[in-house]
Amino acid sequence: MSDPDLAIVSIETTILDVPLIRPHKFATTTSEVQPILLVAITTAGGVTGHGEGVVPGGPWWGGESVETMKAIVDNYVTPYILGRGVDEITGILVDLERIVANARFAKAAVDVALHDAYARHLGVGVHILLGGAFRTGVDVRWALGAAPVEEVLDEIEEKIEARLNFAFKLKMGALDPAVDTERVVSIAEALDGRAGVSIDVNARWDRFTALRYVPELVDGGVELVEQPTPAEQIEVLAEINRLVGASVMADESVQTPHDAFRIATLGAADVLALKTTKCGGLQRSKQVVAVAKAAGLRCHGATSIEGPIGTAASVHFACSEPGIDYGTELFGPQLFAVELLQTPLDYSEGQVHLPTGLGLGVELDMDVVKHLARN
Ligand code: MG
């Protein structure tokens, strides 16, 4: 620690339940609120940095939830890092590996809060800590839950009309595969090339089902197939990737640099879904991107439906990391019925724009935060 003002004097965790604009239907669950673990790290100098622990809806995705993250941060991270400096980001993250295995979503909340606090102390944006921004905005595609054709088409037309999004991802896996495939092909046909359509099965199909329906979806106009089969079955993903002409994206299959290495070695995907949350924060995300780049893979700036803090962190990352070269889906706050920021993130012309203030460049509306806090 180069300055006593940098010493961490408190780490507060608060679970927020944020209502959504509409129920978001994943393969195995439907969310009406998005729980967020807000982590606030305060220094002796009086600077507070925020990070978010967020998984999509609950523990179904990867085993973590806001409740497990809160327990990990309160009981194991906090006692360990109190008194250390917020400029010791690398050292703290390396040491945490000895205290807590996996738990990457929880670690991401801590990593981002440290970056926010340190950048605020220095009087710069978080992107400066990541090497500086080389762009000021990134393309955002919109994700639609497993809803009926007309409903999905109305929502897509609304987004195109408002010039908010020009590419769309359809969630699959909740319905019977034949019915679901017919639904998605009807949507792709109705759009007739006016907007890109990709699908995300969230690892819910077995090999047999995927071999039967993925080619049909690709013939029907789907341009990107995200994680049709179980996370650990990378060989099956590779088989599907060889079978279809469209691009295959790995999501549940990739959380660590070594996961990226295995995917690359087996030719299992063309694109990696890079979530700063599931990778364990901004530092670890850089390592995953580096492996992807060495193997010639593209990276998509993906989301766990983070709120504005987590989303801002991913925007700083994407704007300072040329390796995020397959667009993003950093739409999390747009799915929220309540605004958590004093000034909302800027979404326009199909992009989200880099916030320009100190740290993450966003300021929470603390009255709203208090109102949404779980008792
Ligand atoms: Mg996904």
Side-chain angles (χ1 to χ4, degrees):
M1 189 171 23
S2 54
D3 178 344
D5 275 357
L6 291 165
I8 298 170
V9 293
S10 82
I11 301 163
E12 279 177 51
T13 53
T14 312
I15 294 176
L16 311 179
D17 290 303
V18 187
L20 301 181
I21 51 169
R22 58 154 165 76
H24 197 60
K25 202 164 168 42
F26 295 100
T28 62
T29 185
T30 300
S31 296
E32 296 193 2
V33 297
Q34 172 67 328
I36 290 176
L37 178 71
L38 190 64
V39 175
I41 293 183
T42 300
T43 67
V47 169
T48 298
H50 287 100
E52 279 179 9
V54 180
V55 297
W60 67 277
W61 194 93
E64 286 183 76
S65 70
V66 285
E67 296 83 5
T68 70
M69 291 187 270
K70 186 171 178 8
I72 290 282
V73 174
D74 290 349
N75 299 307
Y76 300 97
V77 177
T78 296
Y80 192 71
I81 71 172
L82 270 178
R84 295 186 69 171
V86 290
D87 59 342
E88 298 174 50
I89 301 172
T90 304
I92 287 173
L93 294 175
V94 167
D95 292 346
L96 273 184
E97 288 302 308
R98 294 202 300 269
I99 311 286
V100 181
N102 302 318
R104 295 181 193 93
F105 287 87
K107 287 172 185 165
V110 174
D111 164 291
V112 169
L114 288 170
H115 277 90
D116 188 27
Y118 187 34
R120 283 174 191 271
H121 171 88
L122 294 174
V124 299
V126 162
H127 62 89
I128 297 294
L129 299 184
L130 303 174
F134 75 102
R135 56 186 163 193
T136 57
V138 283
D139 290 349
V140 179
R141 66 176 180 156
W142 181 249
L144 296 111
V149 175
E150 286 309 317
E151 222 173 280
V152 168
L153 285 172
D154 285 351
E155 198 172 317
I156 289 176
E157 294 297 349
E158 235 172 73
K159 289 288 178 183
I160 296 176
E161 182 95 337
R163 304 190 63 76
L164 283 169
N165 312 92
F166 305 115
F168 300 90
K169 141 164 147 175
L170 307 175
K171 288 284 190 187
M172 295 187 73
L175 308 173
D176 170 78
V179 173
D180 215 3
T181 298
E182 201 182 319
R183 181 182 73 92
V184 167
V185 170
S186 304
I187 294 165
E189 275 170 3
L191 287 171
D192 196 22
R194 286 187 304 124
V197 172
S198 48
I199 56 155
D200 184 2
V201 191
N202 279 119
R204 295 299 137 180
W205 284 353
D206 63 11
R207 174 180 175 277
F208 189 88
T209 307
L211 290 176
R212 167 76 181 79
Y213 292 105
V214 170
E216 208 172 305
L217 286 158
V218 172
D219 287 347
V222 167
E223 61 183 24
L224 178 85
V225 177
E226 180 176 343
Q227 196 74 47
T229 47
E232 69 280 7
Q233 293 176 10
I234 293 181
E235 295 79 2
V236 173
L237 202 59
E239 191 180 354
I240 293 161
N241 198 20
R242 284 192 296 272
L243 182 70
V244 296
S247 302
V248 167
M249 179 151 79
D251 181 6
E252 279 84 343
S253 289
V254 55
Q255 297 193 47
T256 66
H258 183 256
D259 291 339
F261 176 72
R262 269 188 74 208
I263 286 165
T265 307
L266 293 171
D270 310 299
V271 186
L272 302 185
L274 197 294
K275 297 174 180 165
T276 57
T277 50
K278 73 175 180 184
C279 293
L282 304 172
Q283 280 216 346
R284 293 280 282 178
S285 294
K286 282 244 176 220
Q287 296 166 4
V288 175
V289 172
V291 175
K293 293 303 111 182
L297 302 180
R298 289 207 169 187
C299 292
H300 175 69
T303 185
S304 312
I305 326 280
E306 296 98 294
I309 297 287
T311 299
S314 291
V315 175
H316 281 272
F317 183 81
C319 286
S320 60
E321 174 51 75
I324 301 296
D325 52 5
Y326 198 86
T328 80
E329 56 175 10
L330 298 174
F331 60 76
Q334 292 183 296
L335 208 52
F336 289 5
V338 179
E339 179 56 58
L340 273 76
L341 297 181
Q342 294 173 25
T343 305
L345 283 167
D346 176 11
Y347 287 94
S348 54
E349 293 303 311
Q351 290 209 323
V352 58
H353 301 278
L354 181 68
T356 52
L358 296 184
L360 293 169
V362 293
E363 305 300 332
L364 287 165
D365 182 330
M366 293 315 286
D367 290 335
V368 175
V369 168
K370 276 187 201 120
H371 179 67
L372 296 175
R374 190 184 291 180
N375 293 310

